[in-house]
Amino acid sequence: MKIIILGAGQVGGTLAEHLAREENDITVVDTDNERLRELHTRLDIRTVSGAGSYPMVLRQAGCEDADMLIAVTNSDEVNMIACQVAHTLFRTPTKIARVRATAYLTRKGLFAHDAVPIDVLISPEQVVTDHIRRLIEHPGALQVLEFASGLVQLVAVKAFYGGPLVGQELGFLRRHMPSVDTRVAAIYRRNRPIIPRGDTVIEADDEVFFIAARRDIRAVMSELRRLDRDFRRVMIAGGGNIGERLAEHLEHSHQVKIIEHNLDRCTQLSERLDRTVVLHGSATAKRLLEEENIEDCDIFCALTNDDEVNIMSSMLAKRMGAKKVLTLINNAAYVDLVQGGEIDIAISPQQATIGSLLTHVRRGDIVNVHSLRRGAAEAIEAIAHGDTQSSKVVGRAIGDIDLPQGTTIGAVVRGKEVLIAHDDVVVASGDHVILFVIDKRRLRDVERLFQVGLTFF
């Protein structure tokens, strides 16, 4: 595909890296020449210097014959105008834009073909907030992903010494829990992927990705590790968009406190939030954390815009007795360095957002993409179409589907029914199939599996 990305920041750069690896024709547009030079050298992609909303710059970037425009600059207005120009002057088929301001997002009918012609809206703050919310709902999980409108969840947990499954073969799970259907989609041991089989033995410290119906998630988690008690007391460092949205969602079911250093912002938050306690001060102030009884806190979420503040406040909170700490880190290089030590969960906003963008780039009827393990793996939800003549999956049992190497099917969702993927499950047209791909070089093969052959027409 010929794709133009406006904005060479964290999200734009990470997206360009993902898509360039998959042999797409990528052009990145930005006003920062130094950043463009660095991307061009590292990724061997085309770059254009200039304002992304200017018709001349879009023409120079090749908008006349582009398949897709992805506008992820830091300005909502530039992103919106760029999509309007691409639609009006160049008839670009697909236009994706990052829009952050709720003042735009809450206006019905604003983003329509005959108004501001944006086909797909991406709100990174909402994506990250949902990601954190799911982790708070599942204490002990490293990652929680939803498919098929929340009917199915893919959860990553670290297996601990003393867990019933540790030291056992995976086949034991079915005998031990006959009433709960689940499938282990992948195991990462010392950062290397293992394709699970019935005789695979789970070891302590393995990162286990399992898939199950939403209602069964806690039961399966209890087999891999001691279940943490539900989080009740939540402390949030940083009252920006993500901190505010998270507090808004949690304040009626949890005890929530926000620490914000900007006094005007504190006033705004206290007016907008109903039950959240808003504290003025620095999240790295030991005395403030002591006064607010950090040792009683179930989870401390560092969500400021400053990586160093997030890391330091999380480490301080953990040492002072917070049960769990979750840290937002923009610099992707830091994420692997800090997670697993004093910081329990490190979240990269770019990685959380990339999945929602990749959903619209994949060929075939792909309705959901989640980027995993810093982009090394992907979980995909695809819809099967066609019949036995035109499709490589419809009418076939899972055991008979010729899956690309390193790919596993975790579950099939048919209407409201969740069928965990066993070899004898037959895929029907219209089924939502959830796959785990540990080798991203095989993504094209996975897409081809779900493309309908000519006989269908």
Side-chain angles (χ1 to χ4, degrees):
M1 294 177 80
K2 185 170 183 181
I3 301 169
I4 298 171
I5 299 172
L6 306 183
Q10 294 279 10
V11 171
T14 309
L15 184 63
E17 193 172 341
H18 275 265
L19 297 176
R21 270 193 232 136
E22 295 166 26
E23 296 173 11
N24 292 290
D25 180 356
I26 306 296
T27 303
V28 177
V29 178
D30 202 288
T31 51
D32 184 340
N33 290 322
E34 198 174 318
R35 176 70 175 148
L36 290 177
R37 244 191 321 274
E38 187 258 315
L39 282 175
H40 176 72
T41 307
R42 186 161 56 88
L43 302 177
D44 192 24
I45 56 175
R46 204 169 151 251
T47 59
V48 172
S49 176
S53 56
Y54 289 3
M56 197 62 210
V57 173
L58 287 174
R59 188 183 298 278
Q60 205 181 331
C63 208
E64 286 165 313
D65 58 346
D67 298 300
M68 184 179 287
L69 177 82
I70 303 175
V72 286
T73 74
N74 287 326
S75 165
D76 288 353
E77 291 74 20
V78 168
N79 296 340
M80 289 157 66
I81 294 295
C83 289
Q84 183 74 67
V85 171
H87 172 77
T88 307
L89 298 184
F90 305 112
R91 295 291 166 201
T92 307
T94 305
K95 298 159 293 296
I96 299 174
R98 172 164 76 175
V99 178
R100 288 170 158 159
T102 47
Y104 292 129
L105 295 169
T106 51
R107 300 298 296 182
K108 274 194 171 176
L110 179 60
F111 301 105
H113 198 69
D114 54 354
V116 182
I118 297 174
D119 302 298
V120 182
L121 277 168
I122 300 290
S123 173
E125 282 87 355
Q126 194 56 52
V127 172
V128 174
T129 304
D130 290 343
H131 186 68
I132 296 169
R133 175 183 56 78
R134 288 194 296 268
L135 288 168
I136 290 174
E137 286 171 359
H138 294 87
L142 295 173
Q143 204 163 7
V144 182
L145 309 172
E146 289 191 339
F147 298 94
S149 307
L151 288 171
V152 174
Q153 290 184 326
L154 177 73
V155 178
V157 293
K158 187 170 261 195
F160 274 92
Y161 286 105
L165 252 192
V166 174
Q168 300 280 0
E169 294 183 351
L170 282 178
F172 172 76
L173 182 62
R174 264 187 108 173
R175 298 194 299 275
H176 186 60
M177 303 176 69
S179 59
V180 175
D181 211 1
T182 184
R183 180 165 179 138
V184 173
I187 295 170
Y188 281 83
R189 184 170 297 161
R190 291 179 282 280
N191 287 324
R192 296 177 68 88
I194 296 170
I195 295 292
R197 295 186 181 82
D199 59 356
T200 302
V201 175
I202 291 182
E203 295 180 6
D205 289 335
D206 281 356
E207 196 173 318
V208 182
F209 285 84
F210 69 87
I211 197 162
R214 188 190 191 114
R215 64 179 180 274
D216 295 331
I217 291 294
R218 283 186 73 80
V220 183
M221 280 179 70
S222 68
E223 294 300 302
L224 293 162
R225 50 172 296 133
R226 295 180 309 279
L227 265 187
D228 295 355
R229 63 191 178 86
D230 285 348
F231 297 139
R232 304 302 310 160
R233 297 180 185 87
V234 180
M235 191 176 285
I236 299 169
N241 286 332
I242 294 173
E244 182 186 357
R245 287 180 192 203
L246 185 63
E248 196 175 18
H249 184 87
L250 297 176
E251 64 179 356
H252 294 286
S253 53
H254 297 72
Q255 293 175 26
V256 182
K257 294 178 181 179
I258 287 186
I259 301 173
E260 169 57 45
H261 70 89
N262 183 298
L263 188 56
D264 291 340
R265 182 64 178 159
C266 283
T267 308
Q268 287 175 8
L269 289 168
S270 60
E271 289 167 356
R272 290 181 194 168
L273 297 166
D274 297 330
R275 298 185 181 179
T276 300
V277 176
V278 181
L279 304 164
H280 177 235
S282 167
T284 54
K286 189 176 180 182
R287 188 169 172 183
L288 176 61
L289 295 180
E290 266 172 2
E291 286 171 356
E292 295 305 324
N293 303 316
I294 189 68
E295 70 278 5
D296 296 331
C297 172
D298 293 320
I299 184 162
F300 178 90
C301 304
L303 309 177
T304 77
N305 288 327
D306 188 316
D307 285 355
E308 283 72 20
V309 168
N310 288 346
I311 292 168
M312 296 312 292
S313 63
S314 295
M315 291 173 77
L316 182 62
K318 189 68 183 242
R319 286 186 183 178
M320 291 177 71
K323 313 288 185 301
K324 280 272 162 65
V325 294
L326 178 151
T327 311
L328 196 66
I329 298 179
N330 283 291
N331 187 335
Y334 288 178
V335 175
D336 286 329
L337 286 176
V338 299
Q339 180 164 297
E342 291 194 7
I343 290 171
D344 299 293
I345 303 168
I347 291 179
S348 159
Q350 303 89 268
Q351 290 298 340
T353 309
I354 289 301
S356 46
L357 288 165
L358 291 175
T359 303
H360 307 286
V361 178
R362 299 273 171 258
R363 295 177 179 87
D365 195 351
I366 308 289
V367 291
N368 226 326
V369 175
H370 290 288
S371 183
L372 307 163
R373 302 283 309 176
R374 317 287 164 258
E378 274 186 21
I380 294 172
E381 178 183 345
I383 301 178
H385 293 290
D387 54 24
T388 48
Q389 271 75 46
S390 61
S391 168
K392 294 174 182 169
V393 293
V394 172
R396 288 172 172 76
I398 286 172
D400 298 331
I401 295 172
D402 186 18
L403 288 171
Q405 196 177 346
T407 302
T408 52
I409 293 177
V412 173
V413 180
R414 186 171 297 155
K416 296 280 183 192
E417 187 185 7
V418 177
L419 306 168
I420 296 302
H422 302 299
D423 283 354
D424 57 350
V425 173
V426 176
V427 178
S429 184
D431 283 354
H432 288 237
V433 182
I434 291 119
L435 305 102
F436 196 99
V437 186
I438 62 168
D439 184 355
K440 288 193 64 173
R441 290 171 300 183
R442 305 285 180 184
L443 279 169
R444 284 283 171 265
D445 299 331
V446 174
E447 288 170 4
R448 282 189 206 104
L449 262 184
F450 288 87
Q451 286 175 329
V452 177
L454 288 174
T455 51
F456 183 55
F457 302 102

